[in-house]
């Protein structure tokens, strides 16, 4: 085959590969915050979303269990012939990203590092707060990522475990949620941070209340926006952005009843979820 023919062959192969969906997984509904930003940036992409709603929350589990679930979810998505995996879950990104990267040649993008980079770009006084699940905060993964970018930075982490069930329940505003947020965030509010990383997929759904409690002087970092940008850069760099004008496919898979996921998910995404299927994830 001459070089021109092989060039054509590569292009044809790339076009076929570009048609393959982006796979994205989270422990539940929170990863839709990441999906939404990816769809905003790359509306033509085919997408497969897996929400492990039967086993949520991950953020109170041991590292071994989180990694086991993450490997199983990754295996499920790889079976759907995806071209890139987005680990929308902060807990998995904090604990298991390197293990997952070793498992496959498909690019694997986590949400933690893009958020850490954005926090460093935002801070003026080098005092950054991070909120997340217990497992994420106790892993110190954000602390390591942020200080690897600027060792002079002070990082204050606070776990906010009740935020996840509140969001899963659809309680993204109202008095109860405001009280919980005030209780969790009062220490950070006093601590002279100028930037707060929403280090959990579910927390951008509480942005309004968190903003209200923290006050205007504090920049909230939503890792979802940054992660979408990184995904776009990787696909563009590899020539794998989908160019086809045919309507994209969006498929949602959940491991528990689709009803609640559909209700909260549609409200959050702002459009109908057409295809949703309950699946069993094979145990490794
Ligand atoms: N997806 C998880 C995260 O971003 C939050 C929900 C959970 O605990 O599973 O950390």
């Amino acid at each position: 085959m001459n070089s021109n023919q092989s060039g054509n062959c590569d292009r044809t192969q790339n076009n076929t590969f570009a048609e393959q969906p982006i796979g994205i997984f989270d422990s539940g509904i929170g990863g839709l915050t990441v999906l939404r930003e990816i769809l905003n940036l790359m509306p033509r992409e085919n997408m497969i979303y897996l929400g492990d709603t039967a086993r949520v929350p991950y953020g109170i589990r041991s590292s071994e269990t989180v990694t086991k679930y993450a490997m199983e979810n990754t295996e499920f998505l790889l079976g759907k012939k995806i071209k890139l995996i987005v680990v929308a879950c902060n807990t998995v990104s904090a604990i298991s990203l390197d293990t997952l990267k070793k498992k496959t040649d498909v690019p694997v993008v986590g949400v933690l590092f893009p958020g850490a980079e954005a926090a460093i770009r935002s801070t003026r006084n080098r005092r950054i707060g991070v909120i997340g699940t217990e497992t994420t905060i106790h892993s110190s993964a954000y602390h390591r990522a942020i200080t690897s970018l600027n060792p002079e930075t002070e990082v204050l982490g606070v776990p906010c475990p009740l935020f996840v069930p509140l969001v899963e329940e659809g309680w993204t505003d109202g008095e109860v949620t405001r009280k919980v947020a005030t209780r969790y965030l009062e220490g950070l509010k006093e601590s002279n941070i100028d930037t707060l990383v929403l280090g959990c997929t579910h927390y951008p759904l509480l942005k309004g209340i968190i903003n209200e409690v923290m006050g205007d002087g504090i920049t909230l970092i939503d890792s979802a926006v940054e992660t979408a940008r990184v995904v776009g850069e990787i696909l563009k760099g590899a020539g794998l952005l989908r160019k086809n004008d045919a309507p994209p496919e969006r498929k949602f898979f959940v491991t528990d009843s689709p009803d609640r996921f559909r209700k909260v998910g549609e409200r959050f995404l702002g459009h109908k979820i057409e295809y949703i299927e309950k699946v069993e994830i094979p145990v490794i």
Side-chain angles (χ1 to χ4, degrees):
M1 192 187 286
N2 67 33
S3 60
N4 191 23
Q5 278 171 325
S6 102
N8 285 341
C9 179
D10 285 352
R11 259 198 304 280
T12 314
Q13 240 176 15
N14 256 17
N15 284 343
T16 314
F17 203 31
E19 278 300 308
Q20 291 172 214
I22 296 174
I24 166 165
F25 80 83
D26 178 44
S27 52
I29 207 150
L32 294 179
T33 55
V34 183
L35 176 71
R36 184 167 75 170
E37 296 307 331
I38 295 176
L39 293 181
N40 279 344
L41 206 62
M42 291 164 276
R44 284 180 173 168
E45 292 299 323
N46 292 320
M47 294 280 178
I48 288 190
Y49 181 96
L50 169 64
D52 191 7
T53 45
R55 302 191 289 194
V56 69
Y58 286 8
I60 51 164
R61 302 194 194 281
S62 68
S63 307
E64 293 73 33
T65 302
V66 170
T67 301
K68 179 182 178 313
Y69 291 174
M71 300 261 280
E72 290 166 0
N73 295 341
T74 301
E75 200 60 53
F76 174 85
L77 289 177
L78 289 174
K80 303 277 175 207
K81 304 266 177 289
I82 39 84
K83 62 180 172 187
L84 180 144
I85 296 182
V86 181
V87 178
C89 181
N90 274 263
T91 305
V92 175
S93 300
I95 301 291
S96 328
L97 202 67
D98 291 339
T99 312
L100 299 183
K101 282 184 173 169
K102 285 189 200 129
K103 199 178 157 65
T104 170
D105 292 336
V106 169
V108 181
V109 180
V111 284
L112 191 141
F113 208 75
E117 282 182 316
I120 286 289
R121 280 200 301 277
S122 145
T123 186
R124 294 286 160 262
N125 69 1
R126 297 196 304 274
R127 290 178 66 78
I128 296 175
V130 180
I131 51 176
T133 65
E134 284 180 42
T135 305
T136 297
I137 297 302
H138 293 151
S139 76
S140 302
Y142 267 105
H143 187 277
R144 283 194 300 278
I146 291 171
T147 53
S148 76
L149 295 165
N150 183 343
E152 306 291 300
T153 312
E154 188 106 28
V155 183
L156 294 109
V158 175
C160 304
L162 286 177
F163 280 173
V164 168
L166 286 169
V167 169
E168 291 282 327
E169 203 51 46
W171 290 23
T172 49
D173 51 26
E175 202 187 330
V176 172
T177 308
R178 188 169 296 102
K179 278 201 171 131
V180 173
T182 305
R183 174 86 180 262
Y184 278 144
L185 300 175
E186 60 196 358
L188 279 175
K189 204 175 164 184
E190 307 293 298
S191 65
N192 195 30
I193 56 164
D194 69 353
T195 301
L196 177 62
V197 180
L198 307 178
C200 171
T201 42
H202 290 54
Y203 300 178
L205 285 129
L206 301 173
K207 234 183 213 171
I209 279 195
I210 295 173
N211 210 3
E212 210 179 282
V213 172
M214 292 303 289
D216 280 342
I218 292 171
T219 306
L220 301 185
I221 301 294
D222 179 347
S223 316
V225 177
E226 303 303 323
T227 305
R229 196 180 46 74
V230 172
V231 169
E233 276 168 13
I234 293 176
L235 291 180
K236 191 167 176 212
L240 290 180
L241 283 173
R242 180 172 182 260
K243 296 179 191 76
N244 197 339
D245 282 329
E249 267 192 1
R250 308 272 154 76
K251 289 189 174 167
F252 295 81
F253 296 92
V254 287
T255 53
D256 203 346
S257 154
D259 297 342
R260 197 166 66 170
F261 184 93
R262 188 193 292 278
K263 204 167 84 204
V264 182
E266 285 184 348
R267 206 182 69 207
F268 181 67
L269 288 173
H271 59 74
K272 278 205 126 7
I273 294 179
E274 306 286 352
Y275 184 102
I276 183 161
E277 186 183 332
K278 178 174 182 260
V279 287
E280 296 280 336
I281 303 285
V283 171
I284 296 178

